[in-house]
Amino acid sequence: MDPIVILIAAMVLLAVFSLVIGLGGSHNKEGLGDRLETFRSDQQAQADPEANSLSLRKRSYSDFPILNTFLSHLKGSEKVALQLDRAGVPLRVGEYYLIRYTVAALFFVVPFAFSQTLLTLILSVLLATVGYALPAMYIGRRKASRMSRMNAQLAELLDLVANSLKSGYGLMQSLDFAARQISDPLSAEVRRTLRDANLGMSTEEALDALGERVSSPDLDMVLTAINIQRSVGGNLAEILESVTFTMRERKRIRGEISTLTSQGIMTGILIGGLPVGVGLRFMVINPSYMSLLFTETAGRIILLAAVGLEGLGILSIKRVLAIEV
């Protein structure tokens, strides 16, 4: 049997195995004892609240101790774990990297089933790069979608919290009531914050962790208002109502700006696409006439200048239409 076929079969089996382990293993929840063991602090941590809070933030990057130790020393592991949290993907960092490298290896091997040439090697490298980037692109798109849905739920959450505070509930009780009334994904993040607080993390740190996971300017404004109120006092319900009003006004103004700038965006698309469309049309009508842009030195200079001016025009239109609220 051809060794290339054997290698491809082995890579396919490895890919299937890795996906099963990565996706299936991530749903195997740890037992209550294991979770409490993770959050349990020793005598020194009990004497030092800062050490106790740090122990609550420890992550497990992999089920394998060696891999977990290796990933814990990598600078980007915590950032990747935070991105997975924001995307709502139940994967650990080790499982995520395993999927990325497996997909890249699979994409690298598949072209060799058809030919074994230098061009195939170049194509395999390009496909492996694409395969390695695909999981990251999926995580990025899922994170953006999840962040958008949570931002849309913030105003409803704050209304519920403010009404609960007016009824005499405390902040955490109000958050618990609001989390039971709204839907995911924001409900899941609020419940996680309450769980962190119940397991010993201070209220400020639990709210800061919520802000890190959600990564929303509107939520940062809310958390800043809550922290200021807890420090200097005041009517938190009125503060939250004011913040909610500000958020809704900003959303309304963004909609108006989007409506007013849509004409400029369409104009920019048409003007920017007109030279490209005319050039393609002339290439179809008279290829020898347009070939001078690619074969002659003067034509290449003109083509590069045209591309540069086109890019400059696109950037200029984006800067003009980028209105911050």
Short mmCIF file of all heavy atoms in Angstrom, two decimals, residues 202-249:
data_model
loop_
_atom_site.label_atom_id
_atom_site.label_comp_id
_atom_site.label_asym_id
_atom_site.label_seq_id
_atom_site.Cartn_x
_atom_site.Cartn_y
_atom_site.Cartn_z
N SER A 202 -14.25 38.40 46.63
CA SER A 202 -14.90 39.64 47.04
C SER A 202 -15.83 40.13 45.93
O SER A 202 -15.68 39.76 44.75
CB SER A 202 -13.86 40.71 47.35
OG SER A 202 -13.13 41.06 46.19
N THR A 203 -16.79 40.97 46.32
CA THR A 203 -17.77 41.47 45.35
C THR A 203 -17.09 42.26 44.24
O THR A 203 -17.42 42.11 43.06
CB THR A 203 -18.80 42.35 46.06
OG1 THR A 203 -19.44 41.60 47.10
CG2 THR A 203 -19.85 42.85 45.08
N GLU A 204 -16.11 43.11 44.61
CA GLU A 204 -15.42 43.91 43.61
C GLU A 204 -14.68 43.03 42.61
O GLU A 204 -14.73 43.27 41.39
CB GLU A 204 -14.44 44.88 44.28
CG GLU A 204 -15.10 46.01 45.05
CD GLU A 204 -15.62 45.57 46.42
OE1 GLU A 204 -15.34 44.40 46.80
OE2 GLU A 204 -16.30 46.37 47.09
N GLU A 205 -14.00 42.01 43.09
CA GLU A 205 -13.24 41.13 42.19
C GLU A 205 -14.17 40.30 41.32
O GLU A 205 -13.87 40.05 40.14
CB GLU A 205 -12.32 40.23 43.00
CG GLU A 205 -11.16 40.98 43.64
CD GLU A 205 -10.28 40.06 44.46
OE1 GLU A 205 -10.78 38.98 44.86
OE2 GLU A 205 -9.12 40.40 44.70
N ALA A 206 -15.30 39.85 41.88
CA ALA A 206 -16.25 39.09 41.09
C ALA A 206 -16.84 39.95 39.97
O ALA A 206 -16.99 39.49 38.83
CB ALA A 206 -17.36 38.54 41.98
N LEU A 207 -17.13 41.21 40.27
CA LEU A 207 -17.65 42.11 39.24
C LEU A 207 -16.58 42.46 38.22
O LEU A 207 -16.87 42.58 37.02
CB LEU A 207 -18.19 43.39 39.90
CG LEU A 207 -19.44 43.21 40.78
CD1 LEU A 207 -19.81 44.51 41.45
CD2 LEU A 207 -20.61 42.69 39.96
N ASP A 208 -15.33 42.62 38.68
CA ASP A 208 -14.24 42.88 37.73
C ASP A 208 -14.05 41.70 36.78
O ASP A 208 -13.80 41.89 35.58
CB ASP A 208 -12.94 43.16 38.48
CG ASP A 208 -12.96 44.52 39.17
OD1 ASP A 208 -13.80 45.36 38.78
OD2 ASP A 208 -12.15 44.73 40.09
N ALA A 209 -14.15 40.47 37.32
CA ALA A 209 -14.05 39.28 36.47
C ALA A 209 -15.18 39.23 35.45
O ALA A 209 -14.98 38.84 34.30
CB ALA A 209 -14.05 38.01 37.33
N LEU A 210 -16.38 39.66 35.87
CA LEU A 210 -17.50 39.74 34.93
C LEU A 210 -17.20 40.73 33.81
O LEU A 210 -17.47 40.47 32.63
CB LEU A 210 -18.77 40.16 35.68
CG LEU A 210 -20.02 40.43 34.82
CD1 LEU A 210 -20.47 39.17 34.11
CD2 LEU A 210 -21.14 41.00 35.68
N GLY A 211 -16.61 41.88 34.17
CA GLY A 211 -16.24 42.86 33.16
C GLY A 211 -15.20 42.34 32.19
O GLY A 211 -15.26 42.64 30.98
N GLU A 212 -14.25 41.55 32.68
CA GLU A 212 -13.24 40.96 31.80
C GLU A 212 -13.86 39.98 30.82
O GLU A 212 -13.50 39.95 29.63
CB GLU A 212 -12.16 40.26 32.63
CG GLU A 212 -11.25 41.20 33.40
CD GLU A 212 -10.21 40.43 34.19
OE1 GLU A 212 -10.24 39.18 34.13
OE2 GLU A 212 -9.38 41.07 34.86
N ARG A 213 -14.79 39.16 31.29
CA ARG A 213 -15.39 38.15 30.42
C ARG A 213 -16.32 38.78 29.38
O ARG A 213 -16.34 38.32 28.24
CB ARG A 213 -16.17 37.12 31.26
CG ARG A 213 -15.31 36.26 32.16
CD ARG A 213 -16.10 35.07 32.69
NE ARG A 213 -17.30 35.48 33.40
CZ ARG A 213 -17.34 35.74 34.71
NH1 ARG A 213 -16.23 35.65 35.43
NH2 ARG A 213 -18.47 36.09 35.29
N VAL A 214 -17.08 39.79 29.77
CA VAL A 214 -18.03 40.39 28.85
C VAL A 214 -17.36 41.38 27.92
O VAL A 214 -17.68 41.46 26.73
CB VAL A 214 -19.18 41.07 29.63
CG1 VAL A 214 -20.13 41.78 28.70
CG2 VAL A 214 -19.94 40.03 30.45
N SER A 215 -16.39 42.15 28.43
CA SER A 215 -15.63 43.10 27.61
C SER A 215 -16.55 44.04 26.86
O SER A 215 -16.55 44.11 25.62
CB SER A 215 -14.73 42.34 26.63
OG SER A 215 -13.91 43.23 25.90
N SER A 216 -17.36 44.78 27.62
CA SER A 216 -18.31 45.73 27.03
C SER A 216 -18.08 47.10 27.64
O SER A 216 -18.05 47.23 28.87
CB SER A 216 -19.75 45.26 27.28
OG SER A 216 -20.66 46.29 26.98
N PRO A 217 -17.93 48.15 26.83
CA PRO A 217 -17.79 49.51 27.39
C PRO A 217 -18.99 49.91 28.24
O PRO A 217 -18.83 50.59 29.26
CB PRO A 217 -17.66 50.40 26.15
CG PRO A 217 -17.17 49.48 25.06
CD PRO A 217 -17.79 48.15 25.36
N ASP A 218 -20.19 49.50 27.84
CA ASP A 218 -21.38 49.82 28.62
C ASP A 218 -21.35 49.14 29.98
O ASP A 218 -21.68 49.76 31.00
CB ASP A 218 -22.64 49.40 27.86
CG ASP A 218 -22.87 50.25 26.62
OD1 ASP A 218 -22.41 51.40 26.61
OD2 ASP A 218 -23.49 49.75 25.66
N LEU A 219 -20.95 47.87 30.01
CA LEU A 219 -20.86 47.17 31.30
C LEU A 219 -19.75 47.76 32.16
O LEU A 219 -19.89 47.84 33.38
CB LEU A 219 -20.63 45.67 31.06
CG LEU A 219 -20.58 44.82 32.34
CD1 LEU A 219 -21.88 44.92 33.11
CD2 LEU A 219 -20.27 43.37 32.01
N ASP A 220 -18.64 48.16 31.54
CA ASP A 220 -17.57 48.81 32.31
C ASP A 220 -18.08 50.08 32.98
O ASP A 220 -17.72 50.39 34.12
CB ASP A 220 -16.39 49.15 31.39
CG ASP A 220 -15.65 47.90 30.93
OD1 ASP A 220 -15.80 46.85 31.59
OD2 ASP A 220 -14.93 47.97 29.91
N MET A 221 -18.93 50.82 32.27
CA MET A 221 -19.52 52.02 32.87
C MET A 221 -20.41 51.66 34.05
O MET A 221 -20.39 52.34 35.09
CB MET A 221 -20.32 52.77 31.79
CG MET A 221 -20.96 54.05 32.25
SD MET A 221 -21.65 55.02 30.88
CE MET A 221 -22.78 53.81 30.16
N VAL A 222 -21.17 50.58 33.92
CA VAL A 222 -22.03 50.14 35.01
C VAL A 222 -21.21 49.70 36.22
O VAL A 222 -21.49 50.09 37.37
CB VAL A 222 -22.94 48.99 34.53
CG1 VAL A 222 -23.72 48.40 35.70
CG2 VAL A 222 -23.89 49.47 33.46
N LEU A 223 -20.17 48.91 35.98
CA LEU A 223 -19.34 48.42 37.08
C LEU A 223 -18.60 49.57 37.76
O LEU A 223 -18.42 49.56 38.99
CB LEU A 223 -18.34 47.38 36.56
CG LEU A 223 -18.97 46.11 35.96
CD1 LEU A 223 -17.89 45.15 35.49
CD2 LEU A 223 -19.87 45.43 36.98
N THR A 224 -18.17 50.56 36.99
CA THR A 224 -17.54 51.73 37.59
C THR A 224 -18.51 52.47 38.49
O THR A 224 -18.16 52.89 39.60
CB THR A 224 -17.02 52.67 36.48
OG1 THR A 224 -16.08 51.97 35.67
CG2 THR A 224 -16.35 53.89 37.09
N ALA A 225 -19.75 52.62 38.05
CA ALA A 225 -20.77 53.28 38.87
C ALA A 225 -21.04 52.50 40.15
O ALA A 225 -21.19 53.09 41.23
CB ALA A 225 -22.06 53.44 38.06
N ILE A 226 -21.08 51.16 40.05
CA ILE A 226 -21.32 50.33 41.25
C ILE A 226 -20.17 50.46 42.22
O ILE A 226 -20.36 50.62 43.44
CB ILE A 226 -21.54 48.87 40.83
CG1 ILE A 226 -22.87 48.73 40.07
CG2 ILE A 226 -21.55 47.96 42.06
CD1 ILE A 226 -23.11 47.33 39.54
N ASN A 227 -18.93 50.41 41.72
CA ASN A 227 -17.77 50.52 42.62
C ASN A 227 -17.71 51.89 43.29
O ASN A 227 -17.35 52.00 44.47
CB ASN A 227 -16.49 50.25 41.83
CG ASN A 227 -16.35 48.80 41.42
OD1 ASN A 227 -16.84 47.90 42.10
ND2 ASN A 227 -15.69 48.55 40.30
N ILE A 228 -18.04 52.94 42.55
CA ILE A 228 -18.04 54.28 43.15
C ILE A 228 -19.11 54.37 44.23
O ILE A 228 -18.89 54.92 45.33
CB ILE A 228 -18.26 55.35 42.06
CG1 ILE A 228 -17.04 55.41 41.13
CG2 ILE A 228 -18.52 56.72 42.68
CD1 ILE A 228 -17.22 56.34 39.96
N GLN A 229 -20.29 53.81 43.95
CA GLN A 229 -21.37 53.85 44.94
C GLN A 229 -20.99 53.07 46.19
O GLN A 229 -21.30 53.50 47.31
CB GLN A 229 -22.65 53.30 44.31
CG GLN A 229 -23.89 53.46 45.17
CD GLN A 229 -24.07 52.32 46.17
OE1 GLN A 229 -23.53 51.22 45.97
NE2 GLN A 229 -24.81 52.58 47.23
N ARG A 230 -20.32 51.94 46.03
CA ARG A 230 -19.93 51.15 47.20
C ARG A 230 -18.85 51.85 48.00
O ARG A 230 -18.70 51.59 49.20
CB ARG A 230 -19.45 49.77 46.75
CG ARG A 230 -20.55 48.89 46.18
CD ARG A 230 -19.98 47.56 45.68
NE ARG A 230 -19.42 46.78 46.77
CZ ARG A 230 -20.12 45.96 47.54
NH1 ARG A 230 -21.42 45.80 47.33
NH2 ARG A 230 -19.54 45.28 48.51
N SER A 231 -18.10 52.74 47.36
CA SER A 231 -17.02 53.44 48.07
C SER A 231 -17.52 54.70 48.77
O SER A 231 -17.14 54.97 49.91
CB SER A 231 -15.90 53.81 47.09
OG SER A 231 -15.36 52.65 46.49
N VAL A 232 -18.34 55.49 48.10
CA VAL A 232 -18.75 56.79 48.65
C VAL A 232 -20.21 56.82 49.05
O VAL A 232 -20.67 57.81 49.63
CB VAL A 232 -18.46 57.91 47.63
CG1 VAL A 232 -16.99 57.94 47.28
CG2 VAL A 232 -19.29 57.73 46.36
N GLY A 233 -20.99 55.79 48.70
CA GLY A 233 -22.39 55.76 49.06
C GLY A 233 -23.27 56.40 48.00
O GLY A 233 -22.79 56.88 46.97
N GLY A 234 -24.55 56.41 48.26
CA GLY A 234 -25.50 56.97 47.30
C GLY A 234 -26.60 55.98 46.99
O GLY A 234 -26.60 54.83 47.46
N ASN A 235 -27.55 56.43 46.19
CA ASN A 235 -28.69 55.60 45.81
C ASN A 235 -28.31 54.83 44.55
O ASN A 235 -28.30 55.39 43.44
CB ASN A 235 -29.92 56.49 45.56
CG ASN A 235 -31.19 55.67 45.42
OD1 ASN A 235 -31.16 54.54 44.98
ND2 ASN A 235 -32.31 56.27 45.81
N LEU A 236 -28.01 53.56 44.71
CA LEU A 236 -27.54 52.75 43.58
C LEU A 236 -28.64 52.56 42.54
O LEU A 236 -28.37 52.52 41.34
CB LEU A 236 -27.04 51.38 44.08
CG LEU A 236 -26.47 50.45 43.02
CD1 LEU A 236 -25.31 51.10 42.27
CD2 LEU A 236 -26.02 49.13 43.65
N ALA A 237 -29.90 52.47 42.98
CA ALA A 237 -30.99 52.27 42.03
C ALA A 237 -31.09 53.47 41.08
O ALA A 237 -31.25 53.30 39.86
CB ALA A 237 -32.31 52.09 42.78
N GLU A 238 -30.98 54.69 41.61
CA GLU A 238 -31.03 55.87 40.75
C GLU A 238 -29.82 55.94 39.83
O GLU A 238 -29.94 56.35 38.66
CB GLU A 238 -31.10 57.13 41.61
CG GLU A 238 -32.40 57.29 42.38
CD GLU A 238 -32.44 58.58 43.16
OE1 GLU A 238 -31.43 59.33 43.13
OE2 GLU A 238 -33.47 58.86 43.81
N ILE A 239 -28.67 55.53 40.33
CA ILE A 239 -27.46 55.53 39.49
C ILE A 239 -27.64 54.57 38.32
O ILE A 239 -27.33 54.90 37.17
CB ILE A 239 -26.23 55.15 40.33
CG1 ILE A 239 -25.95 56.22 41.37
CG2 ILE A 239 -25.01 54.95 39.44
CD1 ILE A 239 -24.83 55.86 42.34
N LEU A 240 -28.15 53.37 38.61
CA LEU A 240 -28.35 52.39 37.54
C LEU A 240 -29.39 52.86 36.54
O LEU A 240 -29.26 52.62 35.33
CB LEU A 240 -28.75 51.04 38.14
CG LEU A 240 -27.68 50.33 38.98
CD1 LEU A 240 -28.19 49.00 39.48
CD2 LEU A 240 -26.40 50.13 38.18
N GLU A 241 -30.43 53.53 37.00
CA GLU A 241 -31.43 54.07 36.07
C GLU A 241 -30.82 55.13 35.17
O GLU A 241 -31.13 55.19 33.97
CB GLU A 241 -32.61 54.65 36.86
CG GLU A 241 -33.50 53.57 37.49
CD GLU A 241 -34.65 54.19 38.26
OE1 GLU A 241 -34.58 55.40 38.59
OE2 GLU A 241 -35.62 53.46 38.56
N SER A 242 -29.95 55.97 35.74
CA SER A 242 -29.28 56.99 34.92
C SER A 242 -28.37 56.35 33.89
O SER A 242 -28.33 56.78 32.72
CB SER A 242 -28.48 57.94 35.82
OG SER A 242 -29.32 58.61 36.74
N VAL A 243 -27.64 55.30 34.31
CA VAL A 243 -26.75 54.61 33.38
C VAL A 243 -27.56 53.94 32.27
O VAL A 243 -27.18 53.96 31.09
CB VAL A 243 -25.88 53.59 34.13
CG1 VAL A 243 -25.08 52.73 33.15
CG2 VAL A 243 -24.93 54.30 35.08
N THR A 244 -28.71 53.34 32.65
CA THR A 244 -29.56 52.70 31.65
C THR A 244 -30.09 53.70 30.64
O THR A 244 -30.13 53.44 29.44
CB THR A 244 -30.74 51.99 32.34
OG1 THR A 244 -30.24 51.08 33.33
CG2 THR A 244 -31.57 51.22 31.34
N PHE A 245 -30.49 54.88 31.13
CA PHE A 245 -30.97 55.93 30.23
C PHE A 245 -29.85 56.36 29.26
O PHE A 245 -30.09 56.54 28.06
CB PHE A 245 -31.45 57.12 31.05
CG PHE A 245 -31.86 58.30 30.20
CD1 PHE A 245 -33.07 58.31 29.55
CD2 PHE A 245 -31.00 59.39 30.06
CE1 PHE A 245 -33.44 59.40 28.76
CE2 PHE A 245 -31.36 60.47 29.28
CZ PHE A 245 -32.59 60.48 28.64
N THR A 246 -28.64 56.49 29.79
CA THR A 246 -27.50 56.86 28.94
C THR A 246 -27.23 55.80 27.89
O THR A 246 -26.98 56.11 26.72
CB THR A 246 -26.25 57.07 29.81
OG1 THR A 246 -26.50 58.07 30.80
CG2 THR A 246 -25.07 57.50 28.95
N MET A 247 -27.30 54.52 28.27
CA MET A 247 -27.06 53.43 27.33
C MET A 247 -28.11 53.44 26.22
O MET A 247 -27.78 53.25 25.04
CB MET A 247 -27.07 52.09 28.06
CG MET A 247 -25.87 51.88 28.97
SD MET A 247 -26.07 50.43 30.03
CE MET A 247 -26.44 49.17 28.84
N ARG A 248 -29.37 53.65 26.57
CA ARG A 248 -30.43 53.65 25.56
C ARG A 248 -30.29 54.85 24.62
O ARG A 248 -30.55 54.74 23.42
CB ARG A 248 -31.79 53.64 26.24
CG ARG A 248 -32.10 52.29 26.89
CD ARG A 248 -33.54 52.21 27.33
NE ARG A 248 -33.89 50.84 27.70
CZ ARG A 248 -34.40 50.50 28.87
NH1 ARG A 248 -34.63 51.41 29.79
NH2 ARG A 248 -34.69 49.23 29.14
N GLU A 249 -29.89 55.99 25.16
CA GLU A 249 -29.69 57.16 24.31
C GLU A 249 -28.52 56.94 23.35
O GLU A 249 -28.58 57.33 22.18
CB GLU A 249 -29.43 58.39 25.18
CG GLU A 249 -30.68 58.94 25.85
CD GLU A 249 -31.70 59.41 24.82
OE1 GLU A 249 -31.36 60.27 23.98
OE2 GLU A 249 -32.84 58.90 24.84
#
